[in-house]
Amino acid sequence: MTTTAALRVGQRQPDQDLVAAELAAATFLTALGVDLASGGLAQTPARMARAYAELLSPREFAFTTFANDEGYDELVVTRDIPIRSVCEHHLLPFVGVAHVGYLPGDRIVGLSKLARVVQLFAHGPQLQERLTRQIAVCLDTNLRPGAVGVVIEAEHLCMTMRGVQAAGARTSTSTFLGRLRDDARAREEFLTMAGVGSH
């Protein structure tokens, strides 16, 4: 008989004042020479405040696991999970995909929860390197699998739209725990299943 368990996973919700954020956005844009009285810009500060509030707010969820009654002992990989986050250095977005997998132990996880873990840590000012590790550590802590692998491939607007303006450049980061860290063949299997390097 399959038994389920759900654990609430989340981060502290930040205090938000959308009215103050809208006023600050208007002041910020005006200071940069943007004429908020022209055309469709009148509501831009409010839209900007709501957009950043959404990008910076993590969403708690129930991390549902099931007993591994069948004794499944091969990799489970979900690839191309969309990521939208904000670089903590410039508060510009970075977007891309995460490939997340694990080697089941006593429990398996509802597959949608892999995407939920990615989304949880993507919300808020982030570094891609930290995000990659946070996802892996969360899965390792809450699932106790034999291995965890996370690879993120993303384009950072702070790099492609300003400064060096390296349009199309993508950054890849990875974290491997357990058997995927120690066993090169298992790691290669994960990377093949995730399609990493085949783009």
Side-chain angles (χ1 to χ4, degrees):
M1 178 173 143
T2 300
T3 58
T4 62
L7 173 70
R8 295 306 296 180
V9 177
Q11 299 180 0
R12 188 184 71 78
Q13 287 290 335
D15 296 329
Q16 293 183 339
D17 183 342
L18 289 179
V19 173
E22 180 181 343
L23 292 172
T27 300
F28 173 73
L29 293 170
T30 301
L32 291 176
V34 177
D35 181 5
L36 298 178
S38 71
L41 290 170
Q43 294 303 310
T44 295
R47 288 190 292 263
M48 186 174 161
R50 289 193 303 270
Y52 272 96
E54 181 180 335
L55 286 169
L56 300 176
S57 300
R59 299 182 183 106
E60 185 182 78
F61 68 97
F63 189 85
T64 308
T65 65
F66 307 87
N68 187 7
D69 293 334
E70 304 301 318
Y72 188 80
D73 61 357
E74 300 290 339
L75 280 171
V76 176
V77 177
T78 299
R79 57 189 276 182
D80 297 325
I81 300 169
I83 282 185
R84 295 183 304 278
S85 194
V86 179
C87 164
E88 72 176 29
H89 297 141
H90 299 94
L91 284 190
L92 288 172
F94 63 91
V95 295
V97 294
H99 315 292
V100 180
Y102 73 101
L103 189 63
D106 293 335
R107 302 195 69 77
I108 57 176
V109 67
L111 293 178
S112 69
K113 305 314 179 198
L114 297 178
R116 295 270 191 198
V117 170
V118 170
Q119 291 172 357
L120 171 70
F121 291 107
H123 281 77
Q126 262 296 9
L127 297 174
Q128 184 174 330
E129 298 90 337
R130 181 196 309 135
L131 173 60
T132 308
R133 181 148 185 87
Q134 285 176 326
I135 294 166
V137 169
C138 179
L139 290 172
D140 191 53
T141 300
N142 292 296
L143 195 54
R144 304 284 185 205
V148 175
V150 179
V151 172
I152 294 178
E153 301 173 292
E155 181 175 341
H156 292 249
L157 271 62
C158 60
M159 181 178 175
T160 62
M161 292 186 65
R162 57 159 298 284
V164 70
Q165 297 184 12
R170 292 170 65 85
T171 299
S172 297
T173 51
S174 64
T175 297
F176 300 106
L177 302 175
R179 188 170 159 200
L180 289 179
R181 184 177 185 88
D182 302 330
D183 185 334
R185 288 179 58 189
R187 187 166 56 252
E188 185 60 35
E189 180 183 357
F190 169 85
L191 293 171
T192 299
M193 290 176 70
V196 175
S198 63
H199 305 305

